Amino acid sequence: MIHFALSEEQKELQNTARQFAQKEIAPVALQYDRQAAFPGEIIQKAHAVGLMNLTCPKEYGGQAMGLVNAALITEEMNAACVAIAGMIGINSLACGPILIAGSEEQKRRFLLPLNQSGKTASFGLTEREAGSDAASLKTRARLEGDSYVLSGQKCFITNASYAALYTIFATLDPAKGSKGICAFIVPREAAGLSIGKVEDKMGQGSLNVAEVILEGVKVPKANLLGHEGEGFKIAMETLDEGRVNIAACGVGLARAAFQAALDYSKQRIQFGKPIGTFQALNFMLADMAAAVDSARLLTWYAASLADQGRRFTREAAQAKFYATDAAMRVATDAVQIHGGYGYTKEFPVEKYMRDAKLMQIYEGTNQVNRIVAGGALLR
Ligand code: CAA
């Protein structure tokens, strides 16, 4: 039997996250957005109540949840603010390579102190000339004695300015393509690591996104994740999980935008009636509700495959592109339903629209996610 009812434990998780998000995040979301402020205090509070490091096992300081339960929490947090929730949730992406390929010793040495302290990390894959084509990255790794020396420049790195450690992807030999790439754990204090330009973005103001510059950064051999040449697969497996997470973020934003539009369409009177009763808008609302519900089902389905230990690359990619496209469409329609007011900063829907755009771009553009999903169909 297929049933969609949540267990008591899941309802409790959802409720905890909803209360936290509506009390600690939603009231300050716009102010943080305008100031592009770092939500350090909110991150610490989320950590204190167990809303961080959701999928990391307990022995490394996490909450040991499956992806379905994590998606319930992620939806709630993102319904309040995608950017602040993104800063709270970044470790799931940044530490993914360590969980996937790290040795017991690496997990204890790096994850445990990070997760116990409530500090955050960053995932360093993208470069100026290697975005969608991640395998063409140019950051070099050279083995010198007992250390690797890393040189290059990463860009669009979420949380770069505040990370306590970085998972960095670099190549031993660019001629080898994806087979030359290695993954490394690089502590913040490593000599030669610095932060470059911080991006000034259209939306998601409090999501810090910056360059990471690596100038002869020496890391011991013990910081290599897995074996030489395994870095690309580690990155792709990390992104499989990351894309389920972003799909849940999309569901959260879409739900919030839909709710705002529904509430407004019941209150706003024109021609003597609430505007939601006019068929033109009523059909828009029906489409928006269907988009939210279907995005959620695709997200839960991909998450449940992952929780069962089954391959979920295609389902993660389709949930990601579908849910974040839905978020963009629903947010745009929410602005439309608000009319002129929707375009002002007095109402939350303009922020939803700006924030949604980035979700179609990060963790693989939605075009790349269609390549992943479409490619899997033919294999
Ligand atoms: N799991 C395991 N292995 C995988 C895999 C997966 N999901 N996907 C690919 N691989 C393996 C392949 O099997 C192949 O291995 P073999 O050679 O041994 O067969 C190898 O990796 C190379 O695969 P491809 O030939 O498919 O690789 P490609 O160069 O054609 O690229 C791509 C594929 C899907 C386009 C990939 O480059 C990609 O995902 N690009 C987008 C990058 C991205 O998502 N960046 C986001 C950065 S993080 C971010 O935005 C987040 C943030 O900060 C908020």
Side-chain angles (χ1 to χ4, degrees):
M1 186 172 83
I2 297 173
H3 60 91
F4 300 99
L6 300 182
S7 68
E8 287 310 310
E9 185 208 350
Q10 287 173 320
K11 283 185 202 160
E12 209 173 298
L13 282 177
Q14 193 181 44
N15 200 33
T16 304
R18 185 172 297 169
Q19 281 182 12
F20 180 89
Q22 293 310 316
K23 178 165 174 259
E24 304 291 348
I25 303 179
V28 294
L30 190 57
Q31 172 200 329
Y32 271 75
D33 179 61
R34 285 199 187 146
Q35 295 168 358
F38 171 58
E41 269 181 39
I42 307 176
I43 294 173
Q44 283 309 317
K45 285 182 186 169
H47 178 253
V49 297
L51 291 171
M52 265 177 82
N53 306 311
L54 303 177
T55 55
C56 181
K58 289 262 188 231
E59 58 268 36
Y60 313 123
Q63 301 299 327
M65 270 175 217
L67 286 193
V68 171
N69 286 0
L72 296 175
I73 291 179
T74 301
E75 177 181 330
E76 295 306 325
M77 304 289 269
N78 282 269
C81 176
V82 174
I84 295 175
M87 293 294 278
I88 293 170
I90 186 63
N91 284 357
S92 62
L93 177 72
C95 299
I98 307 178
L99 282 172
I100 287 168
S103 63
E104 183 61 26
E105 193 272 333
Q106 286 172 326
K107 289 175 188 170
R108 289 207 180 274
R109 187 149 58 97
F110 293 105
L111 290 182
L112 195 57
L114 184 87
N115 292 344
Q116 282 177 336
S117 63
K119 290 184 180 164
T120 51
S122 284
F123 177 81
L125 178 67
T126 304
E127 298 176 4
R128 290 263 164 230
E129 306 301 329
S132 293
D133 185 8
S136 70
L137 63 82
K138 297 285 182 295
T139 293
R140 290 299 295 261
R142 281 190 191 80
L143 188 59
E144 286 184 10
D146 276 347
S147 300
Y148 289 96
V149 179
L150 310 183
S151 299
Q153 203 160 323
K154 298 290 174 181
C155 70
F156 297 132
I157 305 304
T158 299
N159 190 43
S161 308
Y162 302 100
L165 68 82
Y166 303 83
T167 44
I168 294 286
F169 296 85
T171 179
L172 286 169
D173 179 0
K176 288 189 177 163
S178 65
K179 300 273 186 286
I181 296 173
C182 307
F184 299 95
I185 304 169
V186 182
R188 169 61 177 249
E189 55 280 5
L193 185 150
S194 61
I195 303 304
K197 183 177 161 217
V198 178
E199 301 297 341
D200 183 7
K201 310 183 302 306
M202 171 198 285
Q204 300 210 22
S206 42
L207 188 89
N208 171 262
V209 174
E211 292 174 334
V212 177
I213 298 162
L214 302 142
E215 291 169 307
V217 173
K218 220 170 176 179
V219 289
K221 260 180 159 178
N223 288 24
L224 173 72
L225 287 164
H227 298 103
E228 286 186 353
E230 289 180 355
F232 190 75
K233 283 195 183 178
I234 296 170
M236 291 300 114
E237 285 175 23
T238 303
L239 286 167
D240 283 345
E241 279 202 23
R243 287 166 183 165
V244 178
N245 180 52
I246 298 298
C249 300
V251 176
L253 185 144
R255 188 190 90 195
F258 164 67
Q259 192 60 51
L262 181 66
D263 292 347
Y264 187 77
S265 71
K266 287 180 186 168
Q267 290 160 16
R268 172 80 173 161
I269 308 290
Q270 290 290 279
F271 305 102
K273 290 202 294 191
I275 58 172
T277 60
F278 291 105
Q279 194 179 61
L281 270 62
N282 193 254
F283 279 15
M284 279 170 84
L285 289 165
D287 283 338
M288 291 159 85
V292 175
D293 289 348
S294 47
R296 184 183 292 116
L297 290 178
L298 283 183
T299 303
W300 287 4
Y301 179 56
S304 76
L305 288 180
D307 288 350
Q308 293 166 51
R310 291 166 62 187
R311 189 84 202 263
F312 64 104
T313 299
R314 178 177 78 80
E315 291 78 4
Q318 80 182 6
K320 194 275 181 185
F321 75 68
Y322 187 88
T324 59
D325 282 352
M328 188 71 232
R329 218 167 45 242
V330 171
T332 306
D333 284 349
V335 170
Q336 189 70 21
I337 286 174
H338 280 70
Y341 292 113
Y343 203 67
T344 71
K345 296 197 172 176
E346 258 177 68
F347 287 81
V349 288
E350 64 81 32
K351 178 176 182 296
Y352 296 141
M353 191 172 165
R354 288 185 288 110
D355 287 355
K357 190 65 220 166
L358 184 52
M359 303 171 107
Q360 294 180 299
I361 297 171
Y362 58 31
E363 299 219 15
T365 63
N366 283 359
Q367 288 69 31
V368 159
N369 277 280
R370 285 178 169 87
I371 292 175
V372 173
L377 290 175
L378 299 181
R379 268 194 291 281

Coordinates of all heavy atoms in Angstrom, one line a residue, residues 90 93 123 125-126 131-136 156-158 178-179 207 209 232-234 236-237 239-240 243 246 311 313 361-365 368-369 371-372 379, ligand 1:
I90 N 23.8 24.4 4.9 CA 24.9 24.2 4.0 C 25.8 23.0 4.3 O 26.3 22.4 3.4 CB 25.8 25.5 3.9 CG1 26.8 25.4 2.8 CG2 26.4 25.9 5.2 CD1 26.3 25.3 1.4
L93 N 25.5 19.8 2.2 CA 26.3 19.7 0.9 C 27.8 19.7 1.2 O 28.5 18.8 0.7 CB 25.9 20.9 0.1 CG 26.7 21.1 -1.3 CD1 26.2 20.0 -2.3 CD2 26.5 22.4 -1.9
F123 N 31.3 23.9 0.1 CA 31.6 22.8 -1.0 C 32.3 23.6 -2.1 O 31.6 24.5 -2.7 CB 30.3 22.2 -1.4 CG 30.3 21.2 -2.5 CD1 30.6 19.9 -2.2 CD2 29.8 21.6 -3.8 CE1 30.5 18.9 -3.2 CE2 29.8 20.6 -4.8 CZ 30.1 19.3 -4.5
L125 N 33.5 23.4 -5.6 CA 33.6 22.7 -6.9 C 33.8 23.7 -8.1 O 34.7 23.6 -8.9 CB 32.4 21.8 -7.1 CG 32.3 21.0 -8.5 CD1 33.4 19.9 -8.6 CD2 30.9 20.4 -8.6
T126 N 32.8 24.7 -8.1 CA 32.7 25.5 -9.3 C 33.9 26.5 -9.5 O 34.5 27.0 -8.5 CB 31.4 26.4 -9.1 OG1 30.3 25.5 -8.9 CG2 31.1 27.3 -10.3
G131 N 31.6 25.6 -14.7 CA 30.3 25.7 -13.9 C 29.5 24.4 -14.2 O 29.7 23.4 -13.5
S132 N 28.7 24.4 -15.3 CA 28.0 23.2 -15.7 C 29.0 22.1 -16.0 O 28.7 20.9 -15.7 CB 27.1 23.5 -16.8 OG 26.0 24.4 -16.4
D133 N 30.1 22.4 -16.7 CA 31.1 21.4 -17.1 C 32.1 21.3 -15.9 O 33.2 21.7 -16.0 CB 31.8 21.9 -18.4 CG 32.7 20.9 -18.9 OD1 32.8 19.7 -18.4 OD2 33.5 21.2 -19.9
A134 N 31.6 20.7 -14.9 CA 32.4 20.6 -13.6 C 33.7 19.8 -13.8 O 34.7 20.1 -13.2 CB 31.6 20.0 -12.5
A135 N 33.7 18.9 -14.8 CA 34.9 18.0 -14.9 C 36.1 18.8 -15.6 O 37.2 18.3 -15.6 CB 34.6 16.8 -15.8
S136 N 35.8 20.0 -16.1 CA 36.9 20.8 -16.7 C 37.6 21.7 -15.7 O 38.3 22.6 -16.1 CB 36.3 21.6 -17.9 OG 35.5 22.6 -17.5
F156 N 31.5 31.3 -6.7 CA 30.1 31.0 -6.4 C 30.1 30.0 -5.3 O 29.2 29.1 -5.3 CB 29.3 30.5 -7.6 CG 29.2 31.5 -8.7 CD1 29.5 31.2 -10.0 CD2 28.8 32.8 -8.4 CE1 29.4 32.2 -11.1 CE2 28.7 33.8 -9.4 CZ 29.0 33.5 -10.7
I157 N 30.9 30.1 -4.3 CA 31.0 29.1 -3.2 C 30.1 29.6 -2.0 O 30.4 30.6 -1.4 CB 32.4 28.9 -2.7 CG1 33.3 28.5 -3.9 CG2 32.4 27.9 -1.6 CD1 32.8 27.2 -4.7
T158 N 29.0 28.9 -1.8 CA 28.1 29.3 -0.7 C 28.8 29.2 0.6 O 29.5 28.2 0.9 CB 26.9 28.3 -0.8 OG1 26.2 28.5 -2.0 CG2 25.9 28.7 0.3
S178 N 37.5 14.1 -15.9 CA 36.9 13.7 -14.6 C 37.8 12.7 -13.8 O 37.8 12.7 -12.6 CB 35.5 13.2 -14.8 OG 35.6 11.9 -15.5
K179 N 38.6 11.9 -14.5 CA 39.4 10.9 -13.8 C 40.7 11.5 -13.1 O 41.3 10.8 -12.3 CB 39.9 9.9 -14.8 CG 38.9 9.1 -15.6 CD 38.4 7.9 -14.8 CE 37.4 7.1 -15.6 NZ 36.1 7.6 -15.6
L207 N 22.4 34.8 1.9 CA 23.2 33.6 1.5 C 24.5 34.1 1.0 O 24.6 34.7 0.0 CB 22.5 32.8 0.4 CG 23.1 31.5 0.1 CD1 22.5 30.4 0.9 CD2 22.9 31.1 -1.4
V209 N 27.9 34.2 -0.8 CA 28.4 33.5 -1.9 C 29.7 34.2 -2.3 O 29.7 35.4 -2.6 CB 27.4 33.4 -3.1 CG1 28.0 32.8 -4.4 CG2 26.2 32.6 -2.7
F232 N 35.6 13.3 -8.7 CA 34.4 13.7 -9.5 C 33.2 12.9 -9.1 O 32.1 13.4 -8.9 CB 34.7 13.6 -11.0 CG 33.6 14.2 -11.9 CD1 33.5 15.5 -12.0 CD2 32.7 13.3 -12.5 CE1 32.5 16.1 -12.8 CE2 31.7 13.9 -13.3 CZ 31.6 15.3 -13.5
K233 N 33.4 11.6 -8.9 CA 32.3 10.7 -8.5 C 31.8 11.1 -7.1 O 30.6 11.1 -6.8 CB 32.7 9.3 -8.5 CG 32.7 8.7 -9.9 CD 32.8 7.2 -10.0 CE 32.8 6.8 -11.4 NZ 32.9 5.4 -11.7
I234 N 32.8 11.5 -6.2 CA 32.4 11.9 -4.9 C 31.5 13.2 -5.0 O 30.5 13.3 -4.4 CB 33.6 12.2 -4.0 CG1 34.4 10.9 -3.8 CG2 33.2 12.9 -2.7 CD1 35.8 11.1 -3.2
M236 N 29.7 14.1 -7.6 CA 28.4 13.8 -8.2 C 27.5 13.1 -7.2 O 26.2 13.4 -7.1 CB 28.6 12.9 -9.4 CG 29.2 13.6 -10.6 SD 28.3 15.0 -11.2 CE 29.4 16.3 -10.8
E237 N 28.0 12.2 -6.4 CA 27.2 11.5 -5.4 C 26.7 12.5 -4.3 O 25.6 12.4 -3.8 CB 28.0 10.4 -4.7 CG 28.1 9.2 -5.7 CD 28.9 8.1 -5.1 OE1 29.1 8.0 -3.9 OE2 29.4 7.3 -6.0
L239 N 26.1 15.7 -4.9 CA 25.1 16.5 -5.6 C 23.8 15.7 -5.7 O 22.7 16.3 -5.7 CB 25.6 17.0 -6.9 CG 26.6 18.1 -6.8 CD1 27.3 18.4 -8.1 CD2 26.0 19.4 -6.3
D240 N 23.8 14.4 -5.8 CA 22.6 13.6 -5.9 C 21.7 13.9 -4.6 O 20.5 14.2 -4.7 CB 22.9 12.1 -5.9 CG 23.3 11.6 -7.3 OD1 23.1 12.4 -8.3 OD2 23.8 10.5 -7.4
R243 N 20.6 17.6 -4.4 CA 19.5 18.0 -5.3 C 18.2 17.6 -4.7 O 17.2 18.3 -4.9 CB 19.7 17.4 -6.7 CG 20.9 18.1 -7.4 CD 21.4 17.4 -8.7 NE 22.5 18.2 -9.2 CZ 23.4 17.7 -10.1 NH1 23.2 16.5 -10.6 NH2 24.3 18.5 -10.6
I246 N 17.6 20.5 -2.4 CA 17.2 21.8 -3.1 C 15.8 21.6 -3.5 O 15.0 22.6 -3.5 CB 18.1 22.1 -4.3 CG1 19.6 22.4 -3.8 CG2 17.6 23.3 -5.1 CD1 19.7 23.5 -2.8
R311 N 19.5 3.5 -6.0 CA 20.0 4.5 -6.9 C 18.9 5.6 -7.1 O 17.8 5.2 -7.3 CB 20.4 3.9 -8.2 CG 21.2 4.8 -9.1 CD 22.7 4.8 -8.8 NE 23.3 6.1 -9.3 CZ 24.0 6.1 -10.5 NH1 24.1 5.1 -11.2 NH2 24.5 7.3 -10.8
T313 N 19.7 8.9 -8.6 CA 20.3 10.1 -9.4 C 19.2 10.7 -10.3 O 19.1 11.9 -10.3 CB 21.5 9.6 -10.3 OG1 22.5 9.1 -9.4 CG2 22.0 10.7 -11.1
I361 N 19.2 27.8 -10.6 CA 20.6 27.9 -11.1 C 21.6 27.0 -10.3 O 22.4 26.3 -10.9 CB 21.0 29.3 -11.2 CG1 20.1 30.1 -12.1 CG2 22.5 29.5 -11.5 CD1 20.3 31.7 -12.1
Y362 N 21.4 27.1 -9.0 CA 22.5 26.4 -8.2 C 22.2 24.9 -8.1 O 21.1 24.4 -8.4 CB 22.8 27.0 -6.9 CG 21.7 27.2 -5.8 CD1 20.6 26.4 -5.7 CD2 21.8 28.3 -4.9 CE1 19.7 26.6 -4.7 CE2 20.9 28.6 -3.9 CZ 19.8 27.7 -3.8 OH 18.9 27.9 -2.9
E363 N 23.3 24.2 -7.6 CA 23.3 22.7 -7.6 C 23.0 22.0 -8.9 O 22.2 21.1 -9.0 CB 22.5 22.2 -6.4 CG 23.0 22.7 -5.1 CD 23.0 21.7 -4.0 OE1 22.9 20.5 -4.2 OE2 23.2 22.2 -2.8
G364 N 23.6 22.7 -9.9 CA 23.3 22.2 -11.3 C 22.1 23.0 -11.8 O 21.0 23.0 -11.2
T365 N 22.3 23.8 -12.9 CA 21.2 24.5 -13.5 C 20.1 23.5 -13.8 O 20.4 22.3 -14.0 CB 21.6 25.2 -14.8 OG1 22.0 24.1 -15.8 CG2 22.8 26.1 -14.6
V368 N 21.1 21.4 -16.7 CA 22.0 20.3 -16.4 C 21.2 19.2 -15.7 O 21.4 18.0 -16.0 CB 23.2 20.8 -15.5 CG1 23.8 19.6 -14.7 CG2 24.2 21.4 -16.3
N369 N 20.3 19.5 -14.8 CA 19.5 18.5 -14.2 C 18.6 17.7 -15.2 O 18.4 16.5 -15.0 CB 18.7 19.1 -13.0 CG 19.5 19.2 -11.8 OD1 19.7 18.2 -11.1 ND2 20.1 20.3 -11.5
I371 N 19.7 17.2 -18.2 CA 20.7 16.3 -18.9 C 20.8 15.0 -18.0 O 20.9 13.9 -18.6 CB 22.0 17.0 -19.0 CG1 22.0 18.2 -20.0 CG2 23.1 16.0 -19.4 CD1 23.2 19.0 -20.1
V372 N 20.9 15.2 -16.7 CA 21.1 14.1 -15.8 C 19.9 13.2 -15.9 O 20.1 11.9 -16.1 CB 21.4 14.6 -14.4 CG1 21.4 13.4 -13.4 CG2 22.7 15.4 -14.3
R379 N 19.8 5.2 -20.5 CA 20.8 4.1 -20.1 C 20.2 2.8 -19.8 O 19.1 2.8 -19.2 CB 21.7 4.6 -19.0 CG 23.0 5.3 -19.5 CD 24.0 5.5 -18.4 NE 23.5 6.5 -17.4 CZ 23.6 7.8 -17.5 NH1 24.1 8.3 -18.6 NH2 23.2 8.6 -16.6
Ligands
CAA1 N1 27.0 9.2 -9.2 C1 28.1 8.5 -9.3 N2 28.9 8.6 -10.4 C2 28.6 9.5 -11.3 C3 27.4 10.3 -11.2 C4 26.6 10.1 -10.1 N3 25.5 10.8 -9.9 N4 27.3 11.1 -12.3 C5 28.4 10.9 -13.1 N5 29.1 9.9 -12.5 C6 30.4 9.3 -13.0 C7 30.1 8.6 -14.4 O1 29.6 7.3 -14.2 C8 31.4 8.7 -15.0 O2 32.2 7.6 -14.5 P1 33.0 6.6 -15.5 O3 33.8 7.5 -16.4 O4 33.8 5.7 -14.6 O5 31.9 5.9 -16.3 C9 32.0 10.0 -14.5 O6 31.3 10.3 -13.3 C10 31.9 11.1 -15.5 O7 30.5 11.2 -15.8 P2 29.9 12.0 -17.0 O8 30.7 11.6 -18.3 O9 28.4 11.9 -17.0 O10 30.4 13.5 -16.7 P3 30.2 14.9 -17.5 O11 31.5 15.5 -17.6 O12 29.5 14.6 -18.8 O13 29.3 15.8 -16.5 C11 27.3 16.6 -15.5 C12 28.1 15.4 -16.1 C13 26.1 15.9 -14.9 C14 27.0 17.6 -16.5 C15 28.2 17.2 -14.3 O14 29.3 17.9 -14.8 C16 27.3 18.1 -13.5 O15 26.6 17.7 -12.6 N6 27.5 19.5 -13.7 C17 26.8 20.5 -12.8 C18 27.7 20.8 -11.7 C19 26.9 21.3 -10.5 O16 25.9 20.8 -10.2 N7 27.5 22.3 -9.8 C20 26.9 22.8 -8.6 C21 27.9 23.3 -7.7 S1 27.4 23.3 -6.0 C22 26.3 24.6 -5.9 O17 25.8 25.2 -6.8 C23 25.7 24.6 -4.6 C24 25.9 25.8 -3.8 O18 26.9 26.3 -3.5 C25 24.6 26.2 -3.1

